[in-house]
Amino acid sequence: MKKLFLTGGRGDIGSAIKKVFEDSNYQVITPSSNELNLEKTSEIKDYFKDKDCDFSVFVHCAGINNPQKFSELTLENIEKTIRINYLSFYELVKILSPKMIEKKQGKIVAVSSVYGLVARVGRLAYTSSKHALNGCVKNLACELAKDNILVNCVSPGFVNTKMTDKNNPAEKIKQMIEKIPMNRLASVEEIANVVYFLCSDKNSYITGQNIIADGGFMASGGQGIWE
Ligand SMILES: NC(=O)c1ccc[n+]([C@@H]2O[C@H](COP(=O)([O-])OP(=O)(O)OC[C@H]3O[C@@H](n4cnc5c(N)ncnc54)[C@H](OP(=O)(O)O)[C@@H]3O)[C@@H](O)[C@H]2O)c1
């Protein structure tokens, strides 16, 4: 049985990722933030001390986004966001890749965001973390390609989740939808299916890429449908 190590598997998008892999007969190991606090990057090694590190797929979906305008932004917010969204991914790849290298096979996906490519007022911590994550993915793809390990990002646009509701008033969500050519939010399943494809046997040559699933938001330069 193939095995997936998944972070953020109890969140909205993570639960959908867990389901799509389980439906395809994967064993999914997905610790909660209580079992593995990714903010404590130095402690990630300890979690794996007595545990199996033999996974064919690793998906990093854990992430936080606590908006704060630049004038109020704290270093603590930036550090926490960078640790959970980006540095923990790097630490986990260090721990999980040796077995993949030994077997000359592996798939790694980081769930990023369109804010890995563009910015938004009040999102400095989040935007910085996702830009760094995207760079890390590209570099890892180059370093691990010789061992047949494919490393990619999936960047959702605006997804119908609690995170979107928490960070945007209903009126703002309406305005966001007007800027999406497909004129709706993504479902969590739509994001999970992209992640699954990149990790499946159907993907044998895509690596170092950032697959944007945003209903056309980035293609339209965030303008939506303008006639
Ligand atoms: N929602 C969107 O519209 C959207 C758009 C673009 C990108 N994304 C990205 O998609 C991913 C999932 O988003 P979501 O909407 O599903 O978020 P969510 O429902 O808030 O889930 C976040 C997940 O991250 C985990 N997490 C948070 N802090 C952690 C910590 N210190 N240690 C370990 N795990 C921690 C949570 O674990 P526990 O539940 O165990 O605490 C939870 O499972 C994130 O990376 C986010 O940036 C989301």
Side-chain angles (χ1 to χ4, degrees), residues 176-226:
M176 275 160 33
I177 290 173
E178 282 165 12
K179 292 182 188 298
I180 300 169
M182 288 193 73
N183 213 30
R184 63 176 176 84
L185 301 178
S187 71
V188 291
E189 290 80 15
E190 285 171 318
I191 305 305
N193 286 335
V194 182
V195 172
Y196 181 75
F197 167 74
L198 288 170
C199 299
S200 73
D201 293 342
K202 298 274 184 208
N203 175 26
S204 52
Y205 206 59
I206 301 172
T207 194
Q209 296 303 304
N210 179 15
I211 308 299
I212 302 168
D214 69 348
F217 175 79
M218 293 291 288
S220 76
Q223 297 179 99
I225 307 168
W226 261 33

Side-chain angles (χ1 to χ4, degrees), residues 8 11-13 33 36-38 61-63 84 112 126 130 157 159 161 164:
D12 287 345
I13 297 174
S33 56
L36 172 60
N37 181 0
L38 297 174
C61 185
I84 295 169
S112 185
Y126 187 70
K130 296 295 189 179
V159 191
T161 59
T164 300

Side-chain angles (χ1 to χ4, degrees), residues 133-181:
L133 182 64
N134 290 3
C136 178
V137 161
K138 277 193 202 166
N139 223 91
L140 286 170
C142 296
E143 302 211 22
L144 297 174
K146 65 179 186 325
D147 297 304
N148 194 32
I149 299 167
L150 309 187
V151 192
N152 291 289
C153 282
V154 171
S155 287
F158 306 102
V159 191
N160 191 7
T161 59
K162 289 191 288 297
M163 186 188 271
T164 300
D165 288 342
K166 172 179 83 81
N167 290 335
N168 303 281
E171 187 53 34
K172 175 62 81 184
I173 294 178
K174 239 181 94 194
Q175 289 168 6
M176 275 160 33
I177 290 173
E178 282 165 12
K179 292 182 188 298
I180 300 169

Side-chain angles (χ1 to χ4, degrees), residues 5-85:
F5 186 79
L6 170 66
T7 67
R10 322 230 163 167
D12 287 345
I13 297 174
S15 303
I17 294 173
K18 180 172 184 277
K19 182 169 186 319
V20 77
F21 277 86
E22 282 178 345
D23 288 350
S24 302
N25 296 317
Y26 274 77
Q27 183 187 354
V28 180
I29 307 297
T30 185
S32 70
S33 56
N34 289 330
E35 295 163 298
L36 172 60
N37 181 0
L38 297 174
E39 191 183 344
K40 311 270 181 215
T41 35
S42 57
E43 293 175 18
I44 293 175
K45 271 193 209 95
D46 293 343
Y47 170 85
F48 280 99
K49 230 182 230 154
D50 315 311
K51 293 195 179 59
D52 185 11
C53 297
D54 189 0
F55 292 88
S56 47
V57 180
F58 165 43
V59 176
H60 181 54
C61 185
I64 60 164
N65 180 5
N66 295 323
Q68 251 183 343
K69 283 208 178 143
F70 178 59
S71 54
E72 292 140 27
L73 184 60
T74 60
L75 191 58
E76 287 73 24
N77 185 350
I78 300 177
E79 277 182 351
K80 182 174 177 177
T81 309
I82 295 260
R83 284 188 187 285
I84 295 169
N85 294 8

